[in-house]
Amino acid sequence: RRVVSCRSRACGARLRPQYGLRSHCGALSSLGWRGIFHRVEYYDRVFGDLGPGEVLEWYDIDWELLKPFVLERMPDAGILVDVGCGTSSFCHQAGQWNSSWRVVGLDVSATAIARQRERTGSCTFVEASATALPFGDEAADVLLEKGMLEALRSSKAMEQTSLEIVAEAYRVLKTGGRFVSVSHQSNYDVFLSRAAPWTEVSRHELRSSQSSQVFLYSCDKSCSQAA
């Protein structure tokens, strides 16, 4: 497995040298820069150009860094959902950590889902929109998104859609569940609190360097809030 990193504040512009920026730059030239990061064609192009065994990990954030925040709210035989999973290894790593979990990866890109299904493992991958998750109310224990909302919010036209995605995550979460969001933005708690009536939204710094910072926001839906 070869990991291709994506750590840009513009949600995808700086990739590791071995990726060569081929599909990214090709997508920009054919689709245009403005508002590109909410367009399915962009992701189909980028994911489709990955070589055999390559995966794209946004922000270089993997299961080991996210695990403590997931484990706090995941019961045995719980349901974990990665919304906007792309070709990340997160679902596979989580499923290997606890085989009793039901791990589901969702993405609007058919190319990403097809690439995920080529890999072996017990995870389920579904082509679906984050605004209409294929679950009933209070179905999942933990939902996670890594960079999807930041990509969408790079287009002002997608702000309302981003709010709807967080509200949809709140609907699907069980009482006592957690929504995890990873972003470069240091003030995402304001946006997340506006989108749904979380009991608590906490910010955690996952990485800090001169060029960028990565934050994790844990949004909890507690018993007292649901009552």
Side-chain angles (χ1 to χ4, degrees):
R1 183 176 65 93
R2 188 165 63 158
V3 178
V4 178
S5 169
C6 189
R7 296 186 290 172
S8 169
R9 282 187 178 276
C11 304
R14 190 162 71 89
L15 308 180
R16 284 184 181 170
Q18 69 261 31
Y19 192 50
L21 295 176
R22 182 174 68 251
S23 64
H24 175 76
C25 293
L28 292 183
S29 63
S30 63
L31 300 174
W33 173 267
R34 186 176 298 276
I36 190 173
F37 297 118
H38 70 276
R39 299 177 65 176
V40 178
E41 307 99 293
Y42 168 76
Y43 295 100
D44 282 341
R45 182 82 172 266
V46 169
F47 293 134
D49 199 51
L50 290 170
E54 286 186 332
V55 298
L56 182 59
E57 290 289 0
W58 296 84
Y59 310 147
D60 267 345
I61 301 299
D62 61 10
W63 165 246
E64 288 302 317
L65 282 171
L66 300 172
K67 179 172 63 177
F69 304 96
V70 172
L71 294 181
E72 286 181 349
R73 295 298 178 114
M74 275 296 291
D76 287 337
I79 298 177
L80 172 62
V81 182
D82 184 1
V83 184
C85 63
T87 59
S88 170
S89 294
F90 172 82
C91 288
H92 301 279
Q93 293 167 339
Q96 290 170 2
W97 175 264
N98 190 330
S99 60
S100 68
W101 290 347
R102 181 187 175 197
V103 182
V104 182
L106 305 173
D107 204 285
V108 73
S109 167
T111 302
I113 295 301
R115 294 295 294 265
Q116 290 282 25
R117 289 173 177 169
E118 291 173 358
R119 303 167 68 179
T120 59
S122 60
C123 304
T124 300
F125 292 98
V126 180
E127 181 183 348
S129 170
T131 59
L133 298 175
F135 299 97
D137 296 349
E138 300 211 359
D141 297 281
V142 175
L143 275 80
L144 175 138
E145 72 84 23
K146 186 173 62 171
M148 177 192 65
L149 287 171
E150 187 166 12
L152 289 176
R153 296 184 76 226
S154 67
S155 170
K156 292 182 178 180
M158 299 302 292
E159 181 68 13
Q160 182 58 40
T161 298
S162 299
L163 291 169
E164 292 172 3
I165 288 171
V166 179
E168 179 71 348
Y170 185 88
R171 177 190 70 80
V172 167
L173 271 180
K174 295 178 182 178
T175 299
R178 170 172 290 174
F179 175 60
V180 175
S181 178
V182 179
S183 170
H184 283 301
Q185 304 300 318
S186 62
N187 60 347
Y188 243 40
D189 50 336
V190 176
F191 159 70
L192 293 166
S193 297
R194 185 159 55 96
W198 305 109
T199 306
E200 182 177 4
V201 178
S202 303
R203 186 185 72 178
H204 311 269
E205 189 174 280
L206 293 182
R207 179 189 297 117
S208 179
S209 67
Q210 290 184 343
S211 59
S212 69
Q213 291 176 296
V214 179
F215 299 96
L216 178 146
Y217 295 87
S218 58
C219 307
D220 294 336
K221 179 179 178 179
S222 78
C223 298
S224 59
Q225 181 66 44

